[in-house]
Amino acid sequence: MPLRIPAATKGEVFCFGAAGAAAFAPFYLMAPGANQRLAQQTNKWAPRWERNITMFKNPVERGIQRVTPPVARAVQRVENRLPLEKVAQKTDRGIKKSIDKMGAKHPMRLSEEL
């Protein structure tokens, strides 16, 4: 019985195409004259891309402005809940105690003696 392979979906085709382009891009760029060809294509397509990007720019900016305040508030809430200062102080105390147990002079104490 022959092995049947299902047809690739659009997402799979896109992923394989992107992987192929990424894999062969270094070889394309190493070829002689690649800089000139790349510059020529950039000069050809850049104005078209700049014209079309304005369709996306304004909606994205509005969306970012709408989302920024709630995200900032959420970050503030998380930072306020986390005991970061206490954790840092406990870690510092633990490091100092372990240095003292080993009998070595503490770096801060060395600078204080000078």
Side-chain angles (χ1 to χ4, degrees), residues 85-104:
E85 191 172 346
K86 290 180 185 177
V87 170
Q89 289 173 347
K90 285 182 182 179
T91 304
D92 185 49
R93 267 188 254 126
I95 291 171
K96 287 178 183 175
K97 283 181 183 178
S98 61
I99 289 173
D100 289 340
K101 282 181 187 177
M102 292 185 336

Side-chain angles (χ1 to χ4, degrees), residues 50-96:
E50 289 173 3
R51 275 196 310 266
N52 290 336
I53 199 71
T54 56
M55 293 187 322
F56 301 105
K57 189 180 95 172
N58 293 336
V60 168
E61 284 178 350
R62 282 194 307 268
I64 297 278
Q65 288 174 351
R66 190 184 78 235
V67 169
T68 301
V71 169
R73 284 193 302 270
V75 168
Q76 281 287 344
R77 281 195 306 265
V78 168
E79 283 181 355
N80 291 337
R81 287 184 190 171
L82 293 176
L84 297 176
E85 191 172 346
K86 290 180 185 177
V87 170
Q89 289 173 347
K90 285 182 182 179
T91 304
D92 185 49
R93 267 188 254 126
I95 291 171
K96 287 178 183 175

Side-chain angles (χ1 to χ4, degrees), residues 2-20:
L3 180 66
R4 295 190 181 187
I5 299 172
T9 63
K10 290 179 184 179
E12 291 169 338
V13 170
F14 176 76
C15 287
F16 282 121

